Amino acid sequence: MNNTTKPTLDTAFKKDVFEGLTQFPKYLYSKYFYDEKGDKLFQDIMNMPEYYLTDCEFDILSLHTEAIAEFFRGSGHGFDLIELGAGDGKKTKILLKYLGENDFNFVYRPIDISQNAIDSLTKTLSNELPKVDVRGEKGEYFEVLERVQEYNTRKKVIMVLGSNIGNLLHKRAIEFLAKLKDSMREGDLLFMGFDQKKDPETILNAYNDPHGITATFNKNILHRINRELDGNFPVDDFRHWESYNPESGTAKSFLVAEKPMEVTIAALNLTVKFDAWETIHTEISQKYDDQVVEWLAGEAGLDIETSYTDPKGYYKNYVFKRINA
Ligand SMILES: C[S@@+](CC[C@H](N)C(=O)[O-])C[C@H]1O[C@@H](n2cnc3c(N)ncnc32)[C@H](O)[C@@H]1O
């Protein structure tokens, strides 16, 4: 790496890309996979048979719709349903449909880092479920948590589906859960999906599909850097690589340089050198069991109220409350 003049890192994207590519080993954050193209690729991933997570959570929400909705039900004032990292709301719609049809008093507030995801979700919901009051916002989890605290005039239900929490290492996951807990008052709920440990091969296949969709999704981050930061990554010279450690329960995605190269990113005044077979770590997808979820919750000051699982026991959605609330 050599950078001549100090660049202006005036957006979080620039700052994070600069930091990640000037460290050893190199890394990029998975939240930057998601732009219009990344959102579409993730929808394709959810439709793959190998990506069991979506079907399992879909089954849980379909089998337990009424019980989950009853947990959400507020007092006479109703509730705000705040979803972090909502994506295309494929599974959330099961709940929204039930809540709408049964005249629950609520506002649905989806939040996502991708403006495209929020715009598309708002549009499809206004067509498919016109009775539901939808107020979407673009935002990053840790930023919007400050704003979430402002919804405190009535019950708050915070929802995080898709095992999105698995993108955070345990330390950061505890910080995230603790911040959520701080924004919750008595009676508020956190409803969150956690992908469970299982046959390592099943897990590996979910992130390593033979159609190459996950590889294209992983590489989208390099296309974004090329397009938005005037970079010249030779994207085809990187290989998608997935690993899963059954001991820690951590799946990791990498982009591996297949040859030595120098990449310039004009908007960052940065030249990045890669040795052959050097890696960029791009994503973690943590897998859990009850003990680990209990530990994370306890560290963050949350109690598990109940949990729901799918018929195969691959995935679980937990209901949390504040301890002593
Ligand atoms: C794995 S997808 C899951 C989408 C949806 N929850 C589901 O279960 O189908 C992750 C979603 O979270 C969003 N996201 C990822 N990192 C984020 C962050 N740090 N802050 C806000 N949204 C984020 C992405 O744009 C994407 O829509």
Side-chain angles (χ1 to χ4, degrees):
M1 188 272 296
N2 63 61
N3 47 319
T4 42
T5 51
K6 201 167 167 21
T8 321
L9 302 176
D10 53 1
T11 64
F13 185 44
K14 284 185 186 172
K15 187 167 167 292
D16 289 341
V17 170
F18 187 91
E19 277 177 18
L21 294 181
T22 52
Q23 296 290 312
F24 183 80
K26 296 177 172 66
Y27 67 87
L28 290 167
Y29 291 132
S30 59
K31 62 185 173 186
Y32 296 120
F33 289 155
Y34 300 91
D35 60 354
E36 194 171 345
K37 198 166 153 229
D39 292 340
K40 168 75 180 71
L41 286 163
F42 187 70
Q43 285 182 315
D44 295 343
I45 289 174
M46 289 198 290
N47 287 327
M48 303 182 323
E50 294 85 0
Y51 197 75
Y52 59 84
L53 290 83
T54 306
D55 290 342
C56 292
E57 196 167 42
F58 195 93
D59 285 349
I60 294 171
L61 299 185
S62 305
L63 290 168
H64 303 284
T65 321
E66 191 180 341
I68 295 166
E70 284 309 319
F71 261 111
F72 290 6
R73 190 191 285 281
S75 58
H77 302 296
F79 62 96
D80 284 303
L81 177 58
I82 302 159
E83 181 169 11
L84 302 180
D88 73 352
K90 178 173 174 165
K91 292 157 291 177
T92 311
K93 285 180 195 167
I94 304 166
L95 289 174
L96 295 179
K97 184 164 182 286
Y98 181 88
L99 296 171
E101 282 170 356
N102 290 279
D103 294 321
F104 279 64
N105 171 12
F106 76 108
V107 173
Y108 174 52
R109 300 179 182 277
I111 295 169
D112 201 287
I113 199 169
S114 161
Q115 184 69 53
N116 173 66
I118 289 297
D119 292 345
S120 315
L121 179 57
T122 309
K123 199 165 154 217
T124 53
L125 286 175
S126 77
N127 291 330
E128 291 173 26
L129 300 170
K131 270 172 64 181
V132 176
D133 185 350
V134 182
R135 305 196 200 158
E137 274 184 69
K138 180 188 171 181
E140 206 273 341
Y141 301 144
F142 282 87
E143 265 168 44
V144 297
L145 283 174
E146 312 295 329
R147 267 183 276 153
V148 166
Q149 303 208 23
E150 292 162 19
Y151 301 121
N152 58 10
T153 54
R154 59 181 186 167
K155 178 169 177 170
K156 206 163 42 240
V157 178
I158 303 170
M159 189 159 75
V160 190
L161 302 184
S163 206
N164 291 6
I165 188 165
N167 294 145
L168 306 175
L169 287 167
H170 288 327
K171 185 169 169 286
R172 194 91 171 121
I174 291 169
E175 283 168 28
F176 179 53
L177 291 169
K179 281 209 163 200
L180 289 175
K181 185 263 301 179
D182 288 342
S183 75
M184 290 161 68
R185 297 181 314 159
E186 190 175 351
D188 289 350
L189 287 184
L190 172 64
F191 182 71
M192 197 179 264
F194 289 75
D195 193 20
Q196 302 287 301
K197 289 181 182 168
K198 59 186 68 61
D199 183 336
E201 194 153 0
T202 307
I203 292 174
L204 207 48
N205 289 344
Y207 300 94
N208 214 10
D209 65 279
H211 333 280
I213 302 173
T214 319
T216 310
F217 180 62
N218 196 6
K219 290 181 184 185
N220 190 44
I221 203 160
L222 301 185
H223 284 297
R224 269 194 85 173
I225 294 172
N226 283 352
R227 205 172 44 246
E228 295 178 30
L229 303 181
D230 202 3
N232 67 354
F233 271 103
V235 178
D236 291 340
D237 291 340
F238 282 83
R239 193 185 296 177
H240 166 71
W241 191 260
E242 191 68 26
S243 72
Y244 176 64
N245 177 343
E247 186 182 35
S248 64
T250 312
K252 284 188 177 181
S253 305
F254 298 92
L255 290 166
V256 186
E258 291 180 329
K259 50 173 87 150
M261 63 179 85
E262 273 192 10
V263 173
T264 59
I265 304 174
L268 304 181
N269 280 332
L270 182 68
T271 302
V272 190
K273 280 191 179 163
F274 286 86
D275 293 328
W277 309 114
E278 191 176 342
T279 53
I280 310 174
H281 174 216
T282 53
E283 185 170 52
I284 81 150
S285 304
Q286 181 64 37
K287 308 302 161 195
Y288 303 89
D289 53 32
D290 280 341
Q291 285 82 353
V292 172
V293 176
E294 270 164 35
W295 168 68
L296 293 172
E299 291 292 305
L302 292 164
D303 247 347
I304 299 174
E305 190 79 3
T306 192
S307 65
Y308 302 92
T309 192
D310 59 289
K312 285 194 255 184
Y314 276 12
Y315 192 96
K316 273 192 183 176
N317 287 82
Y318 296 76
V319 177
F320 301 97
K321 283 193 172 163
R322 260 186 96 119
I323 289 176
N324 300 328

